[in-house]
Amino acid sequence: MSADTMPDAAPDALPDSLPGSDRDAAPVSGRGAPPDGLPAADITVFDVGGTHIRRAVWQRRGGLGARTTHPSPNFKRFPSATVAELQDMMVRQLCAGVPHTPAPVAGISFGAALDHRSGLVYASAPLWGAHSEPYDLRAALTARRPDVRWHIVNDVTAALLHAAAAAGRSNHRKVLLATISSGIACRVLDQRQRRIPVDDSGLQGEIGHLPVHAELLGHTVELACDCGRPGHLAAYASGPGIARLADTLARREPARWAASRLGRLTADGTAFETALRQALDEQDPQDVREEGQGGQDTLAADLLDAATAPVAAVLRTALCLDPELDEVVLTGGVVHGLGHHYRRALLGHLTREGLYLTSDRTPDWLHRRITVTAPGEADSLAGAGIAAAAGAST
């Protein structure tokens, strides 16, 4: 992959090069003019998810403009459409969203596993169901709009690029961003070399499909992942995974569930995500456990404890293997929805079982590295603009 020179400094600091393997990622010497053909003004950006496609205009010196949101053409909306037809609908929708201006540029954050070197999409269950034949998205877009310079990155990569551009992270050696939402994945950015390394398939950080061990109230539990295989991290720790854990808990301990605040809220029709946050807000489990009041209602806290344990195990291993990770940034719908409860549960695991010797000699080493973003601090739309403005071949 050839690395392009950097645009001048902007509100979002730009990486000198973007995702690539060790073989083809080249460092950039200096920050010069924009790459040939790259305008200094507007870049159209998209965030393609399984449910919605968000669109905005991004400027290097002004950030994101007004946003619009439209439904994604997925297999649930169009059950009689073939995958090829769904893909064509998406491409037409994206191409129509790019203005016919001189030398237009578009950045796409795409919510699926893809080859960051070529833009080849491996699969997208939310968009296309069980279909797993790779799809050359960049080629399809270019065929319809050859006038547009297209840049495609995974949505987690885009979120990381935006988060890492914050001034407070400019001196970090490496930053890991993990999104905990309807799915789970992470990316690591080397700030010194300005690149996100990928493997021979153009991938990195698909931790949601790592096999993990999970327990619920001291007993092993095995649940199926949305991909169909059992025992993956996302099966327990994603938004749907936590709901599945709750269902398992309700079956195993029906009386306790029915008597709990979480059980009563859901029985009254409160959405599970809202009920879980409310139950956690109403009962501070740390205070209860410190006081030794075993009769108190800690079911919601026990559920969150079970859901965060395998996440803590993955992050513990990552920090053990790479001590240059100066920050682990957590984002996504689950993290934002549960707020400080999520971080506290995660740090509880890392406090009880930390890193050998390091946690004893430097007790705050792990705690200093785990942070939670506020909504908007790791925005995939902004990251798509950063990726496109850097002008790298992704």
Side-chain angles (χ1 to χ4, degrees):
M1 177 179 75
S2 62
D4 298 292
T5 53
M6 289 278 294
D8 294 333
D12 290 314
L14 304 179
D16 293 299
S17 95
L18 285 176
S21 68
D22 289 341
R23 291 192 304 273
D24 58 16
V28 173
S29 57
R31 297 171 179 261
D36 291 341
L38 186 63
D42 296 352
I43 295 173
T44 305
V45 291
F46 301 92
D47 180 31
V48 180
T51 305
H52 295 98
I53 295 178
R54 297 189 298 150
R55 177 193 178 277
V57 173
W58 186 89
Q59 294 181 329
R60 289 204 301 272
R61 303 197 186 282
L64 289 171
R67 310 178 190 207
T68 59
T69 301
H70 298 282
S72 299
N74 59 48
F75 73 100
K76 292 181 180 178
R77 285 186 64 213
F78 301 99
S80 62
T82 66
V83 171
E85 290 170 337
L86 294 172
Q87 291 168 341
D88 184 65
M89 282 188 267
M90 179 187 66
V91 167
R92 286 190 282 112
Q93 187 170 335
L94 293 172
C95 290
V98 182
H100 288 271
T101 56
V105 177
I108 297 176
S109 158
F110 200 86
L114 56 85
D115 186 333
H116 281 87
R117 303 161 303 176
S118 65
L120 187 71
V121 179
Y122 288 122
S124 177
L127 285 171
W128 308 319
H131 183 82
S132 60
E133 183 179 345
Y135 178 59
D136 195 337
L137 177 59
R138 177 180 284 119
L141 291 166
T142 302
R144 184 172 287 273
R145 286 290 302 274
D147 58 313
V148 179
R149 185 168 178 176
W150 298 97
H151 299 274
I152 305 168
V153 293
N154 170 269
D155 59 343
V156 183
T157 298
L160 171 57
L161 294 177
H162 185 222
R169 299 185 176 106
S170 61
N171 292 323
H172 286 358
R173 293 168 295 178
K174 294 180 182 178
V175 180
L176 182 154
L177 179 136
T179 181
I180 314 293
S181 190
S182 57
I184 298 177
C186 79
R187 296 289 182 275
V188 175
L189 169 67
D190 189 322
Q191 291 275 54
R192 299 159 301 181
Q193 299 183 35
R194 304 288 185 177
R195 65 184 180 87
I196 299 175
V198 295
D199 62 20
D200 286 349
S201 297
L203 296 168
Q204 190 221 107
E206 297 296 332
I207 60 172
H209 298 284
L210 288 177
V212 298
H213 174 75
E215 293 186 356
L216 187 59
L217 303 178
H219 299 283
T220 298
V221 58
E222 184 173 279
L223 299 176
C225 181
D226 284 342
C227 73
R229 300 185 64 178
H232 286 178
L233 177 63
Y236 311 102
S238 66
I242 297 175
R244 284 191 289 264
L245 271 179
D247 290 340
T248 303
L249 179 55
R251 289 194 301 271
R252 288 186 176 182
E253 299 197 9
R256 185 186 178 203
W257 175 269
S260 71
R261 182 61 171 151
L262 178 58
R264 294 195 304 271
L265 286 169
T266 54
D268 289 341
T270 304
F272 172 74
E273 296 82 0
T274 303
L276 178 57
R277 175 60 190 257
Q278 187 173 335
L280 290 167
D281 285 342
E282 292 178 6
Q283 177 62 73
D284 186 331
Q286 189 64 35
D287 291 344
V288 169
R289 285 169 182 155
E290 286 177 355
E291 294 168 8
Q293 299 173 4
Q296 294 286 341
D297 175 15
T298 61
L299 183 140
D302 290 339
L303 176 62
L304 183 57
D305 191 67
T308 52
V311 177
V314 171
L315 296 182
R316 184 188 298 114
T317 300
L319 287 161
C320 177
L321 293 175
D322 193 349
E324 290 189 332
L325 288 171
D326 289 325
E327 187 173 358
V328 172
V329 182
L330 302 177
T331 190
V334 171
V335 173
H336 294 158
L338 298 179
H340 71 279
H341 299 293
Y342 192 90
R343 183 175 186 271
R344 184 170 63 183
L346 189 69
L347 289 177
H349 292 293
L350 296 176
T351 298
R352 293 187 292 273
E353 294 289 341
L355 297 181
Y356 174 66
L357 296 179
T358 299
S359 292
D360 292 331
R361 300 178 67 86
T362 315
D364 67 340
W365 193 87
L366 287 171
H367 288 237
R368 286 188 281 111
R369 280 161 169 74
I370 308 293
T371 62
V372 173
T373 65
E377 291 181 355
D379 193 325
S380 295
L381 270 178
I386 293 172
S393 172
T394 58

